[in-house]
Amino acid sequence: MNALHQHLLDSYRAGRHGEPAPPVPGTHDLAALRAARDDHRFASVLAGRPATGRLRLAVRRWRHPGAC
């Protein structure tokens, strides 16, 4: 059973019980990824490491080739 089949089954059951339908699969994927990224960055700051990203590091390497 894939996610679509499970969603259809859950929607049917919710309709039979008079409950609201569940969200469509994939609705909150980006929000979950952003939350995981933010948690990782926060844990890095608590551990004493700077919360820098790959883009910032790439720009620093490009601007100062021998520094990194």
Side-chain angles (χ1 to χ4, degrees):
M1 180 180 301
N2 63 21
L4 179 62
H5 293 130
Q6 186 65 46
H7 174 70
L8 292 173
L9 183 63
D10 290 342
S11 296
Y12 173 76
R13 287 180 182 163
R16 298 280 291 177
H17 292 287
E19 299 171 354
V24 179
T27 302
H28 303 291
D29 288 352
L30 287 178
L33 290 174
R34 285 187 190 116
R37 181 194 63 200
D38 291 344
D39 287 344
H40 179 42
R41 287 182 177 174
F42 184 67
S44 295
V45 170
L46 288 180
R49 297 185 307 265
T52 58
R54 283 189 249 163
L55 180 61
R56 188 175 295 172
L57 183 62
V59 169
R60 187 182 317 146
R61 274 186 281 168
W62 177 71
R63 293 178 84 192
H64 308 286
C68 294

